[in-house]
């Protein structure tokens, strides 16, 4: 409710809101006083609740009384008549000489004014003097005596007030005693008599309501209507306490906040400096027990049980409950059963008053009492993080358990903080190695460079075989996720070799021996230049059934090795089937099993299986906070999309993977992702953008020993060729071939560099060299039995050939590629075959072939290729149209769900793709179908399906 007596904040006063009942009570008492009977009003409530503001507002609007005001202070409790002096000295000082004499009546009265002389005479004389001192001003105008903090009044002044009530029944005097809550006052007979219910009315002030907050916010923002949720948040934040409420609203307005729903979260963090100064002042008025309770509550949190607070403070519960009453009287605690601050600013201020040394000691105490009380490990760890190192052996296990729980909740940063705190505890040799290992696990989610460093330190301390294998596995995975992490490869190779030799020498754990062998072989593959000898598969490889993790990893390793070596796809699939059974969730413990399986599936063109694996991996790490692994899966997704021919999706997903990696530190697979981006941009005809990506690579260039180097070189060669620098492109392609040969990779399914180099030599008129490269690649492709590789080699063989053999080879290439998911390669082959048919004079055949190729290129989003096909189709007298068969599989899936009424967010969650990819697919579908929005999708898709059926 609004009192009706309002002043805006700008004129020096805040509006008095929500105090109508209290003002009515004051008016009622004042009416009795005017009739000639002295009365007392006790105005009570916690500090800052608005007691003084209520009296001041009432005085400003009621001019019937001469208001005299005094404030008591504990330091003046022993000053005789200190309050009476405050009340009457302003009146005496402001009066003239004649008025002063009339007021004091005679010399004897003058000597009785408190502070001007002794008070001779007995009770009757004192009563007469007091009555005269009050009656003379009140004869002209009723008196209002306001005494703030009456609990600190000096005894003579209190006795004076009581006698004034006893002997001045006819004086129109109203005494307003302002005090905190009743339990804040010490019992005093005279005070009890002054506040006796027979002549005293008690008015208790409580917090403001939500509607009051809304009115106050409206006044602060000059009449702007505040949002109810904003007001509800403000009320919950301040508990309706006027002091905190006014400070928060005023500071929020100065900080640019508006009273709308969008700012309600920021409202909780507002902590005005003026409010903190006021809190420090009030805290200084509290007893030592009250200060200790405030510090304990600031550390242990609102609502902490009394026994826990008592254990921390080292005092009894009864003492703390009395201290809580003290804090409530100071306006710092809520009037709840469980102790809690009225505002977060109180907690912040209490913590600010503590020195760093004191805070560390208090946090250590809070951690210990919480531990003894059986609080959760994470709660205890929160105190340990801010505490000095503690004595005893209990802290490290608590911090380790808290870190494990944080990892399960998907908070690796929190886990890492707990484990770093464990390392700061007093040295415990047996614990340091395991703690470093767990710290490496936690940091590997976000920062592979740090994780590699911690894993290396753990290897120096761990003695158990299982822990050392886990550290080695983590180290090798981090080196892949963050190349250039500073850990020397020779050192890693030495550690892996030593571990492998130790496992072989012990001979007791075959699983661990296989595990070490896999890791060393993988490291040699990652850095071919560091290889000492070719990995030799064990004699019983054919007998491995993939029943254990190490067996599955070994099978996957050799499946990928066989693939790179150009072995038949059937043998690779046989190994892969045994390796990929019962794949666990992606983690460093299963590394590099998923890596080998995923890469093998891509190069075998098992893209459906690859997509299912990607979805499984994405779901497995969702909500775990493993940002580096999320980036790795996104990179796998981008590579799969490009091989499937979804150029837009590949480009968007590659950018997402880079963004995830940069947020975590150094992006994993950054070189591969740059290669994908360059290829996709070239397919869209965006040569300048591709050059920007290439120029943005680190100045030192790609790591010359890493497996990603040949992939990037091949993409860079395509860029230089598109820019017209064919010889530089050829040089890069031959360099790519050298890297692949050094790594033992000969399969064109992994890198068809020979056919691309053949195209360059052919453009330069070097037909013989081109023919040799194509013949070698075609032979290798037929050996590996992967149709995409065979079709790509046949297409280039057709370009090198002439006459009827050209059309025969190109027709075979299109036939082979049609049965594969290689839509981009098929579109290129159709382009070349259409040109050959046109050259031979088969106009109709050329049109059919080129139109089919154009449709595929448009569906892939390969703008540059589609433009070349369109131009060649025009040369053949045909034209490209729109309609059926133009949508990519991704666009078809997204469009179908959108036509069913699903939102973009629902589609993204259902297909496990980014929201940006969904938007890109819909934009492409709208353009190809010739519509402007999703409301036309259903009809357009139906028409497209009908057209496709007719065309078929």
């Amino acid at each position: 409710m609004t009192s009706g007596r309002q002043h805006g904040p700008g004129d020096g006063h805040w509006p008095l809101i929500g105090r109508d009942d209290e003002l009515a009570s004051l008016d009622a008492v004042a009416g009795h006083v005017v009739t000639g009977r002295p009365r007392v009003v006790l105005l009570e409530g916690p500090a800052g609740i608005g007691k003084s503001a209520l009296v001041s507002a009432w005085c400003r609007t009621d001019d019937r009384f001469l208001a005299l005001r005094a404030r008591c202070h504990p330091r003046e409790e022993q000053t005789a008549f200190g309050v009476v002096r405050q009340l009457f000295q302003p009146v005496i000082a402001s009066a003239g000489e004649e008025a002063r004499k009339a007021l004091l009546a005679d010399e004897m009265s003058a000597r009785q004014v408190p502070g001007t002389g002794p008070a001779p005479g007995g009770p009757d004389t004192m009563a007469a003097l007091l009555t005269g001192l009050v009656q003379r001003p009140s004869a002209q105008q009723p008196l209002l005596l306001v005494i703030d903090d009456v609990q600190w009044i000096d005894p003579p002044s209190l006795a004076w007030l009581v006698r004034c009530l006893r002997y001045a029944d006819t004086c129109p005097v109203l005494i307003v005693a302002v005090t905190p809550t009743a339990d804040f006052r010490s019992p005093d007979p005279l005070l009890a008599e002054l506040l006796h219910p027979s002549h005293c009315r008690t008015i208790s002030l409580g917090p403001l309501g939500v509607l009051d907050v809304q009115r106050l916010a409206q006044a602060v923002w000059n009449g702007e209507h505040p949002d109810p949720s904003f007001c509800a948040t403000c009320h919950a934040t301040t508990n309706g306490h006027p002091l905190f409420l006014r400070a928060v609203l005023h500071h929020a307005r100065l900080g640019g906040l508006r009273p709308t729903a969008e700012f309600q979260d920021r409202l909780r963090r507002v902590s005005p400096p003026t409010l903190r100064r006021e809190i420090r002042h009030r805290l200084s008025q509290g007893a030592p027990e009250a200060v200790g309770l405030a510090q304990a509550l600031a550390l242990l949190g609102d609502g902490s049980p009394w026994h826990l607070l008592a254990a921390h403070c080292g005092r009894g519960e009864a003492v703390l409950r009395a201290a809580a009453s003290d804090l409530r009287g100071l306006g710092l605690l809520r009037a709840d059963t469980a102790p809690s601050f009225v505002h977060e600013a109180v907690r912040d201020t209490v913590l600010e008053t503590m020195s760093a040394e004191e805070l560390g000691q208090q946090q250590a105490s809070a951690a210990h009492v919480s531990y003894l009380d059986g609080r959760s490990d994470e709660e205890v760890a929160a105190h340990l993080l801010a505490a000095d190192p503690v004595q005893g052996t209990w802290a490290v296990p608590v911090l380790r358990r808290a870190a494990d729980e944080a990892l399960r909740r998907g908070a690796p940063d929190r886990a890492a903080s707990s484990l770093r705190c464990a390392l700061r505890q007093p040295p415990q040799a047996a614990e340091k190695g395991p703690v470093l290992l767990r710290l490496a696990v936690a940091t590997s989610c976000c920062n592979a460079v740090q994780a590699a460093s911690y894993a290396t330190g753990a290897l120096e301390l761990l003695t158990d075989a299982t822990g050392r294998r886990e550290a080695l596995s983590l180290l090798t995975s981090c080196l892949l996720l963050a190349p250039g992490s500073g850990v020397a490869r020779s050192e890693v190779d030495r550690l892996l070799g030593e571990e492998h030799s130790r496992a072989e020498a012990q001979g007791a754990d075959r699983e661990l021996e296989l595990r070490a062998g896999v890791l060393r072989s993988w490291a040699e593959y990652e850095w071919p230049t560091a290889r000492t000898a070719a990995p030799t598969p064990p004699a019983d490889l054919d007998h491995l059934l993939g029943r254990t993790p190490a067996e599955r990893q070994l099978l996957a390793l050799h499946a990928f090795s066989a693939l790179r070596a150009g072995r038949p796809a059937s043998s690779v699939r046989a190994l892969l089937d045994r390796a990929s059974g019962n794949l666990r969730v992606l983690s460093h413990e299963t590394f590099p099993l998923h890596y080998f399986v995923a890469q093998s599936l891509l190069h075998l063109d098992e893209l459906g299986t690859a997509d299912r694996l990607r979805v499984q991996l994405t779901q497995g790490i969702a909500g775990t906070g493993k940002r580096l692994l999320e980036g790795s899966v996104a990179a796998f997704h981008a590579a799969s999309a490009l091989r499937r021919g979804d150029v837009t999706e590949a480009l968007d997903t590659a950018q997402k993977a880079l963004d995830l990696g940069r947020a975590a530190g150094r992006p994993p697979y950054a070189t591969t992702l740059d290669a994908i981006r360059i290829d996709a941009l070239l397919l869209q005809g965006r040569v300048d953008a591709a050059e920007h990506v290439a120029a943005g690579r680190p100045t030192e260039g790609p790591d010359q020993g890493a497996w990603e180097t040949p992939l990037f070189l091949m993409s860079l060669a395509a860029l230089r060729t598109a820019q017209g620098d064919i010889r530089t492109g050829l040089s890069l392609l031959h360099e790519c071939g050298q890297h692949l040969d050094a790594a033992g990779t000969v399969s064109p399914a992994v890198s068809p560099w020979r056919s691309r180099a053949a195209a360059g030599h052919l453009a330069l008129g070097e037909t013989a060299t081109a023919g040799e490269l194509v013949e070698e690649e075609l032979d290798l492709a037929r050996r590996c039995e992967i149709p995409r590789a065979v079709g790509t080699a046949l297409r280039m063989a057709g370009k090198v050939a002439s006459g009827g053999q050209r059309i025969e080879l190109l027709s075979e290439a299109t036939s082979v590629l049609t049965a594969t998911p290689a839509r981009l390669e098929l579109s290129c082959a159709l382009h070349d075959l259409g040109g050959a048919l046109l050259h031979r004079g088969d106009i109709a055949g050329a049109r059919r072939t080129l139109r089919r190729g154009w449709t595929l290129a448009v569906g892939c989003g390969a703008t540059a290729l589609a433009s070349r096909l369109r131009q060649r189709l025009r040369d053949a007298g045909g034209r490209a149209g729109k309609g059926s068969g133009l949508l990519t599989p991704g666009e078809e899936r997204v469009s179908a769900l959108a036509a069913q009424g699903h939102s973009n967010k629902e589609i993204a969650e259902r297909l496990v793709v980014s929201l940006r990819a969904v938007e890109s697919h819909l934009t492409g579908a709208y353009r190809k179908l010739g519509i402007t929005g999703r409301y036309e999708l259903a009809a357009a898709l139906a028409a497209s399906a009908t057209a496709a059926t007719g065309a078929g």
Side-chain angles (χ1 to χ4, degrees):
M1 296 176 60
T2 305
S3 67
R5 298 164 176 172
Q6 295 192 25
H7 300 265
D11 63 7
H13 303 289
W14 284 82
L16 187 66
I17 291 176
R19 302 304 188 195
D20 277 356
D21 293 341
E22 291 81 358
L23 287 169
S25 296
L26 286 172
D27 287 337
V29 174
H32 290 290
V33 172
V34 171
T35 62
R37 183 180 179 185
R39 293 298 299 267
V40 178
V41 172
L42 173 62
L43 193 60
E44 67 175 9
I49 203 67
K51 303 184 295 293
S52 298
L54 175 64
V55 174
S56 299
W58 183 67
C59 291
R60 287 194 298 270
T61 58
D62 194 330
D63 55 2
R64 293 176 295 176
F65 289 84
L66 173 62
L68 305 178
R69 197 159 188 170
R71 179 175 295 277
C72 308
H73 194 277
R75 287 193 295 268
E76 298 177 357
E77 199 171 3
Q78 302 303 320
T79 302
F81 295 105
V83 170
V84 178
R85 181 186 298 112
Q86 287 188 58
L87 287 172
F88 287 99
Q89 274 188 341
V91 177
I92 298 173
S94 62
E97 187 64 29
E98 294 299 326
R100 183 185 182 92
K101 291 179 179 180
L103 181 66
L104 298 178
D106 54 31
E107 183 180 356
M108 182 177 179
S109 296
R111 291 199 303 270
Q112 306 313 313
V113 175
T116 63
D124 294 339
T125 302
M126 177 64 69
L129 291 175
L130 294 174
T131 302
L133 190 60
V134 173
Q135 283 179 339
R136 288 187 180 276
S138 63
Q140 301 175 358
Q141 187 179 14
L143 283 181
L144 171 64
L145 306 181
V146 181
I147 304 160
D148 289 297
D149 294 327
V150 74
Q151 72 275 8
W152 304 120
I153 190 171
D154 61 280
S157 294
L158 178 59
W160 186 89
L161 289 173
V162 171
R163 292 184 181 187
C164 180
L165 288 174
R166 288 176 182 173
Y167 301 112
D169 290 341
T170 61
C171 298
V173 177
L174 172 59
I175 300 174
V176 177
V178 182
T179 180
T181 53
D183 56 358
F184 188 72
R185 300 192 302 271
S186 58
D188 186 287
L190 284 176
L191 185 60
E193 184 176 350
L194 178 68
L195 304 179
H196 195 275
S198 62
H199 54 257
C200 177
R201 175 175 292 188
T202 300
I203 301 176
S204 299
L205 295 188
L208 298 177
V210 177
L211 292 179
D212 302 326
V213 175
Q214 188 169 354
R215 294 293 187 91
L216 190 58
Q218 189 172 4
V220 171
W221 273 276
N222 299 322
E224 182 177 347
H225 187 68
D227 187 90
S229 62
F230 179 90
C231 297
T233 300
C234 188
H235 183 269
T237 302
T238 61
N239 195 37
H241 194 287
L243 173 67
F244 294 91
L245 182 61
R246 292 194 299 265
V248 167
L249 288 176
H250 180 66
H251 197 71
R253 184 176 66 83
L254 292 179
L257 272 65
R258 308 300 305 170
T260 59
E262 61 180 309
F263 289 108
Q264 59 179 326
D265 290 335
R266 291 176 57 184
L267 191 66
R268 296 186 178 94
R269 298 189 292 271
V270 172
S271 182
T274 54
L275 183 58
R276 292 199 293 272
R277 289 194 294 270
E278 175 67 20
I279 293 170
R280 282 194 293 269
H281 171 69
R282 296 190 178 188
L283 197 62
S284 66
Q285 295 178 329
E289 294 80 5
V291 175
L293 174 61
Q295 293 176 345
L297 197 59
L299 295 173
L300 295 171
D302 287 341
S304 297
W306 288 108
H307 71 273
L308 187 64
L309 293 169
H312 177 77
C313 295
R315 298 181 181 275
E317 290 188 25
V319 175
L320 290 191
R321 291 181 186 273
S325 298
D326 193 355
L327 290 176
R328 290 192 189 99
L330 292 170
L332 301 179
L333 284 192
R334 299 190 180 197
D336 300 331
T337 303
S340 58
F341 291 123
V342 296
H343 191 272
E344 281 298 316
V346 180
R347 182 188 320 281
D348 297 338
T349 305
V350 171
L351 294 175
E352 287 174 1
T353 61
M354 305 169 67
S355 65
E357 181 180 2
E358 183 182 9
L359 185 60
Q361 294 172 353
Q362 292 272 18
Q363 289 282 17
S365 173
H368 194 225
V369 298
S370 299
Y371 168 72
L372 294 177
D373 192 52
R375 316 297 284 187
S376 69
D377 291 323
E378 288 192 282
E379 184 177 341
V380 178
H383 295 299
L384 289 171
L385 288 173
D388 297 330
V390 300
Q391 297 299 320
T393 60
W394 60 273
V396 173
V398 168
L399 290 165
R400 288 185 61 180
R401 291 193 300 268
D404 292 340
E405 179 60 29
L407 283 175
R408 283 191 293 270
R409 288 191 297 101
D413 293 338
R414 184 72 176 177
S417 297
S418 296
L419 292 166
R420 291 190 185 99
C421 180
L423 291 176
R424 294 195 299 269
Q425 302 307 313
Q428 300 174 38
E431 289 282 354
K432 189 172 182 180
V435 169
L436 276 173
L437 178 57
R438 299 310 299 161
L439 182 55
V441 172
T443 52
S444 69
C445 300
C446 310
N447 193 320
V449 176
Q450 287 185 357
S453 176
Y454 290 134
T456 304
L459 277 172
E460 302 297 331
L461 298 173
L462 291 169
T463 57
D464 64 298
T466 303
R468 291 181 63 82
R469 300 303 191 280
E470 185 178 2
L472 283 171
S473 177
L474 181 61
L475 178 59
T476 50
S477 64
C478 288
L479 291 176
L480 174 64
L481 296 176
S485 60
V487 181
R489 295 175 192 158
S490 58
E491 178 67 12
V492 175
D493 185 66
R494 180 187 65 78
L495 292 171
L496 288 169
E498 290 178 358
E499 203 62 34
H500 194 195
S501 301
R502 181 183 303 179
E504 289 179 335
Q506 293 174 352
D509 195 334
R510 179 173 174 274
E511 178 76 5
L512 294 179
E513 180 183 349
L514 291 176
R515 175 75 166 166
V518 169
L519 294 176
R520 186 176 188 186
S521 298
W522 171 82
E524 290 174 344
Y525 163 68
E526 291 298 325
W527 304 293
T529 55
R531 180 179 299 161
T532 55
T536 303
D540 61 345
L541 183 63
D542 293 337
H543 301 289
L544 291 178
L545 301 178
R547 293 175 177 172
T548 68
E551 287 184 359
R552 289 195 289 271
Q553 289 190 17
L554 189 59
L555 288 167
L557 168 67
H558 287 285
F560 190 50
S561 297
L563 174 69
R564 294 187 294 110
R567 304 282 176 81
S570 56
S571 62
V572 176
R573 287 192 182 93
L575 291 172
L576 205 59
D577 289 341
R578 285 188 281 164
S580 58
N582 299 321
L583 281 178
R584 297 172 58 192
V585 176
L586 181 60
S587 69
H588 70 275
E589 296 175 354
T590 58
F591 188 85
L593 172 60
H594 294 86
Y595 171 79
F596 289 133
V597 171
Q599 292 296 320
S600 299
L601 289 174
L602 285 183
H603 296 310
L604 287 172
D605 267 353
E606 302 284 351
L607 300 187
T609 306
D611 280 342
R612 288 191 291 274
L613 175 61
R614 173 181 59 82
V615 172
Q616 173 190 340
L617 298 180
T618 301
Q619 294 173 345
I621 60 177
T624 62
K626 299 178 179 178
R627 294 192 291 271
L628 285 177
L629 291 182
E630 289 177 9
S632 302
V633 175
F636 174 43
H637 183 186
S640 175
L642 189 61
R643 291 186 70 84
R644 192 170 53 246
D646 288 339
V647 177
T648 303
E649 182 177 342
L651 188 59
D652 291 343
T653 309
Q655 187 61 55
K656 172 189 173 184
L658 286 170
D659 293 341
L660 282 170
R662 291 193 184 102
R666 185 185 179 97
Y669 306 107
T671 302
T672 298
L673 290 169
D674 284 341
I676 292 173
R677 293 165 69 203
I678 290 173
D679 290 341
L681 289 169
L682 290 177
L683 286 166
Q684 292 180 342
R686 299 163 62 186
V687 178
D688 292 341
E691 174 59 33
H692 180 73
V693 173
R697 294 284 303 158
T699 54
E700 66 271 12
D703 189 347
Q704 297 302 308
W707 63 275
E708 295 180 287
T709 300
L711 299 179
F712 182 78
L713 289 174
M714 195 161 63
S715 298
L716 190 59
L719 173 60
R720 296 293 175 254
T721 301
Q723 292 171 332
D725 191 352
I726 298 177
R727 292 201 177 276
T728 299
L730 277 174
S731 175
L732 291 169
L733 286 170
H734 284 286
E735 183 182 352
C736 167
Q738 293 172 3
H739 282 283
L740 291 170
D741 289 341
T745 301
V746 298
S747 174
V750 177
S751 177
W753 70 271
R754 297 174 185 83
S755 60
R756 295 197 182 189
H761 285 292
L762 188 62
L764 295 175
E766 300 169 356
T767 308
T769 304
E772 292 174 2
L773 288 169
V774 168
E775 183 180 356
E776 182 181 1
E777 179 160 313
L778 183 57
D779 180 59
L780 291 170
R782 294 190 188 280
R783 290 184 191 176
C784 72
E785 301 174 352
I786 298 177
R788 182 195 296 259
V790 175
T792 301
L794 284 171
R795 173 198 165 222
M796 190 51 59
K799 292 186 69 173
V800 173
S802 58
Q805 188 181 13
R806 169 178 292 186
I807 294 180
E808 180 181 347
L809 289 171
L810 290 174
S811 297
E812 184 181 358
T814 58
S815 177
V816 171
L817 291 171
T818 298
T820 73
R823 295 186 299 151
L824 286 171
E825 287 80 356
L826 176 58
S827 183
C828 291
L830 290 169
H831 172 275
D832 296 336
L833 177 59
L837 291 172
L838 181 62
H839 181 72
R840 192 176 66 176
D842 186 355
I843 305 299
R847 289 176 181 175
R848 288 193 301 272
T849 301
L850 293 171
R851 185 173 290 109
R852 180 187 173 196
W854 175 84
T855 301
L856 281 172
V858 170
C860 292
T863 311
L865 178 57
S867 297
R868 294 198 299 270
L869 281 158
R870 182 193 294 269
Q871 183 58 49
R872 183 154 287 186
L873 182 56
R874 287 174 179 171
D875 293 341
R879 64 176 183 174
K882 60 184 179 181
S884 62
L886 299 185
L887 300 185
T888 67
E891 291 169 345
E892 289 178 356
R893 290 192 294 267
V894 170
S895 299
L897 291 173
Q900 295 170 14
H902 295 285
S903 67
N904 288 6
K905 183 178 180 182
E906 292 171 341
I907 296 172
E909 293 174 350
R910 186 165 181 171
L911 299 180
V912 197
V913 296
S914 66
L915 191 61
R916 185 177 176 183
V918 172
E919 294 168 350
S920 297
H921 283 319
L922 284 176
T923 301
Y926 295 162
R927 184 184 68 253
K928 295 173 185 178
L929 294 173
I931 61 177
T932 58
R934 69 170 61 208
Y935 64 92
E936 301 177 84
L937 262 178
L941 290 174
S944 178
T946 302
T949 303

